Amino acid sequence: MPLSSSQSVPHKSDPALRSMFEARKRVFVDLLKWDVPVLDGRFEVDQFDTPEAVYLVLADESANHRASARLLRTDRSHILGQLFPCLCEGTIPSGLQTREITRFCIDPALCRTERGRTRNELVSALVDHALRWNITDYTAVANMQWFRQISRFGWKCRALGPQRLIGTELLIALHIEIDDQTIPQLQDRGIYSPPRYQSTEMAGLQ
């Protein structure tokens, strides 16, 4: 999908955000071979990187990307609603307090042990963000391997429909409820872990 000539890297002056878009290119284009837009051969930026997107980024002291996720409003255009509605058997969860988790990205340079720790920190950051901003639930589209991981974290997570073969991948839509019991539920499974690295929340494009 080509980018318009006017599209640029969001938050171009912010090193953590630039590092995130570069990491997204390494993970989703170079590693996973997704057919998604790339800007300047370095940055993975698509039509959902809009002024209303929110980015959660874990970075080290030098602003090097460790992990990140993009959150989309569900009362606007979003991936499940626009691209994959076939994954939901019923009504797609949406509303002012519902967000869609997209581009969940862990830096591929991390070792296996560090990747597990960083994954837990990003999951914890998502929960902390939801509780801070009165977000009651998340939706997402995931492959089956990732869904099996997510569903074992201890929180309230369910499939929104059966898995479907889309292209070459088995995909499923999921729904996660967030409430005052979510942190204890994640703690019981050893998942909740406040980030050891710089955590940045960025909303709106400059």
Side-chain angles (χ1 to χ4, degrees):
M1 183 180 301
L3 291 171
S4 68
S5 59
S6 63
Q7 189 157 0
S8 61
V9 179
H11 296 289
K12 187 174 182 179
S13 63
D14 187 280
L17 268 293
R18 287 177 62 88
S19 180
M20 178 198 73
F21 285 108
E22 288 178 321
R24 278 173 39 172
K25 193 266 185 181
R26 293 195 301 272
V27 170
F28 300 116
V29 178
D30 299 342
L31 183 61
L32 298 179
K33 309 300 182 184
W34 287 11
D35 182 17
V36 292
V38 175
L39 184 66
D40 296 338
R42 296 174 57 193
F43 308 101
E44 190 271 302
V45 181
D46 72 6
Q47 70 268 36
F48 296 102
D49 291 302
T50 70
E52 293 180 331
V54 171
Y55 305 93
L56 302 185
V57 184
L58 304 186
D60 64 19
E61 293 179 353
S62 299
N64 296 311
H65 176 272
R66 310 290 293 184
S68 58
R70 178 181 64 187
L71 301 180
L72 302 178
R73 290 180 57 162
T74 58
D75 60 334
R76 301 285 191 274
S77 177
H78 63 289
I79 290 176
L80 180 56
Q82 183 172 334
L83 302 182
F84 299 108
C86 62
L87 294 176
C88 292
E89 285 192 318
T91 302
I92 298 173
S94 62
L96 293 176
Q97 293 177 294
T98 302
R99 296 292 184 272
E100 181 183 50
I101 302 171
T102 69
R103 295 302 195 267
F104 190 101
C105 180
I106 300 175
D107 201 283
L110 300 178
C111 68
R112 183 174 180 178
T113 299
E114 190 67 10
R115 284 176 61 83
R117 291 174 180 169
T118 304
R119 177 206 67 186
N120 291 350
E121 290 170 3
L122 184 53
V123 168
S124 303
L126 285 164
V127 174
D128 291 344
H129 176 81
L131 294 173
R132 176 183 176 188
W133 294 104
N134 297 315
I135 295 168
T136 59
D137 53 327
Y138 285 123
T139 61
V141 174
N143 62 32
M144 286 306 299
Q145 179 181 5
W146 184 223
F147 174 69
R148 292 188 186 102
Q149 286 190 50
I150 294 170
S151 61
R152 293 196 295 264
F153 286 174
W155 53 11
K156 299 172 185 175
C157 176
R158 64 183 178 91
L160 291 170
Q163 62 185 16
R164 294 185 185 275
L165 183 64
I166 308 248
T168 60
E169 266 196 304
L170 281 173
L171 299 181
I172 196 165
L174 60 96
H175 181 250
I176 300 166
E177 296 180 44
I178 304 294
D179 57 29
D180 59 3
Q181 292 303 307
T182 304
I183 289 178
Q185 288 165 348
L186 294 177
Q187 289 174 327
D188 287 345
R189 299 293 178 90
I191 297 295
Y192 186 78
S193 179
R196 295 168 294 147
Y197 305 102
Q198 173 187 347
S199 178
T200 302
E201 299 178 6
M202 300 292 290
L205 307 188
Q206 305 299 319

